[in-house]
Amino acid sequence: MQFGNMHSVKPQQVTFIVPGVEDFKIADLSTFTNKVETLEDSSLLEFAWEELVEAKKDVNAVELAKMCYGDGPIEYYAAHRLLMSQQVYFRCKQKGFSAIYEPRPLSQVNDLKQKQSIEDAARQKLLGYINDIRSACDQPYESKPPPNHWQSCDYSSARTDSLRAYALEVTNTPQQKQLAEEVLEALKISKKPSVAVDLLIKMGVFPVHVNLDLLKSGVPTEFSCDFLEASQHVLTSPPLDTNLADRVDLTHLKVYTIDSEDADEIDDGLSAARLPDGRIKVWIHVADPTRWVPSMHILDKEAKRRSTSIYLPTGAIPMFPMELASTVMSLRQGYETCALTVSIIFHPTGSIAESQVMCSTIRPTYRLSYDNALELLQMNVEEEADLYLLDEVAQVRRQWRMGQGAIDATVPEASIRVPDPESPKPSIIMSVVDQAGRASQLVTEMMIACGEALAAFGDEKNISLPYRGQASQEIPEDDIKAIPEGPCRAIALRRYLGRADMSFMKPISHAALGIQGYVQFTSPIRRYSDLLAHYQVKAVLRGEPPPFSSAYVEAVMAVVNLQSRQARKLQTSSSRYWQIEYLRRQPRGTHYQALVLRFAKEGEPLVLLEKLGIQANVNTRVTTAIGSEITVMVEAAYPRNDFLILRQV
């Protein structure tokens, strides 16, 4: 470098000057340095120091060489290297063409020796840790040490934790960053978080498909012993049922619970009957977790902190411990269960004629998946007349809501399940969830009706609840009608969904649902907003004032909404990761049928891979129109980087 500028120099432009040697050539360099290395002996330096410190005499490299080795260029350079590498016995007091070295006093040498001894011990410890890492990295995945191996001692634990924090970009102290970078430097690899992630995977600390977003979020994936003990205490010593006196016995009703096949928390069930006047009456039974967890209980506080259950392809992170959530709290088939029931009588047009809210006791009859329910609906079994009544009123109800301006923005979605996420190559089970399917719509319509009835009940009783609404938007009907029905039109309509809003005193219009008020109420085991509404409503049913003010409800919902947004991001990013990983594993050149949903400004289409429910951009211009079918293939797929390139075939 000269004057701040970098210059390259070719080997032939370098001149080697070795005192006492003429015409030294680059070819001689290797032989020269090898001879120097054979002479290096730090004990000779200590011997020279003992003589010179007593004589109080300074020395240069040539003089030291003559004391230790003899006279000659190789000896001079060996002495120079000793003086440069060993700073314990001499200090350089004069720099320049011929450096002068002063022997250090005995006390200083002893201090430096002790310091060097400590540093040597630290280097040995680091070397042992580094060798342990290299050994683990060389092992096949199934033979790698378990994660707790790296917590076996304070030294290993501190550095592994620092690497973990560095990888997640959450280093709390400068010391943590220093420890992590010390390890990366010792391994001679880049000091980058992404490199630390790869290293921790090779060490066996992280699984191959580690969920970095989840780790960075700080969301607790397990319950502490305190919460598990509290959960067990609820099971063995249940609290008093504060609504026992007003609980209605509805165990005579046939109750269908319809949910995804792998759901463990069963929040809601449905019953139906035709009244003498021809109208249909529906009972929406909702799980009653507040029967088991009173307000301000330790488990209530933890549920509030978590705010929602999080559903990832690799498994659920529940709001309540599963010992409660999947047992006494859930509407289990064949078990007598406490519930909150909303009964609704519908007008023939689909609007609500009258409704009632009550605490109840039910005995769920059938536990159905959406596929099971759809099969029954298609079979027309005489014994399942109640299910057909639910389907009938759901279809009428849907038509009524659409007439009120409701927007149907449902699109088939990928459902992904990864049962063995810790495996280096876990199984990926893909299916498509069609929310426009008959069974899905049946459940959706009844849940919306329940939310509308609860909003009316809250308004009548002047209860502070988390009322949800959505502003209406002007929708250009001609433009929308020009887009094919189904997923394409749903995607287009999403652009016209108004701003979501909340009120805590009175219901507000929900234009997207086509109703005048709405309260989420049917998932209290997995959503804290619903649980909060339960506490309020059940107090009123007991003849007591609601326990929480509107200011309290608003404050709680501010936290709940924030946590819920984080949960949705985690669910989206995890699902996206496994979608790309699934596509990455398919044979190169596999063709997929894709539906063109819309076009970006750059002309690149967003498509739906129809058999997988995956949405992705195609990185080529497509001349066909929205709603067209095209064939695409995967050109590149990197799940860790959220990178997917599709090309039209």
Side-chain angles (χ1 to χ4, degrees), residues 425-438:
K425 191 175 181 181
S427 309
I428 304 176
I429 302 169
M430 293 280 295
S431 60
V432 180
V433 177
D434 185 5
Q435 295 175 334
R438 200 168 155 191

Side-chain angles (χ1 to χ4, degrees), residues 201-335:
I201 291 172
K202 290 175 183 176
M203 289 166 63
V205 177
F206 285 166
V208 172
H209 296 280
V210 57
N211 189 333
L212 293 175
D213 289 335
L214 179 60
L215 293 179
K216 288 178 182 180
S217 73
V219 169
T221 56
E222 303 288 344
F223 285 92
S224 71
C225 292
D226 288 346
F227 299 122
L228 295 177
E229 286 173 9
S231 177
Q232 191 61 37
H233 186 264
V234 168
L235 289 171
T236 56
S237 303
L240 292 173
D241 181 2
T242 53
N243 286 79
L244 182 61
D246 53 275
R247 206 172 281 282
V248 180
D249 185 356
L250 298 178
T251 55
H252 62 283
L253 291 175
K254 180 181 282 189
V255 179
Y256 299 91
T257 62
I258 306 171
D259 211 322
S260 57
E261 194 166 357
D262 56 348
D264 294 314
E265 308 148 304
I266 310 301
D267 281 295
D268 50 75
L270 300 169
S271 303
R274 191 178 296 279
L275 300 178
D277 62 6
R279 293 183 300 176
I280 297 174
K281 182 176 182 178
V282 170
W283 291 264
I284 299 110
H285 310 288
V286 182
D288 186 6
T290 64
R291 153 72 184 91
W292 306 98
V293 178
S295 173
M296 300 304 171
H297 186 278
I298 181 176
L299 292 173
D300 169 50
K301 291 177 181 178
E302 177 62 8
K304 186 194 305 177
R305 188 171 77 87
R306 293 177 176 239
S307 297
T308 181
S309 294
I310 302 175
Y311 298 96
L312 307 176
T314 51
I317 304 171
M319 189 173 79
F320 283 112
M322 289 308 292
E323 290 87 345
L324 286 176
S326 64
T327 59
V328 295
M329 286 184 175
S330 283
L331 305 186
R332 293 176 294 167
Q333 178 178 314
Y335 286 85

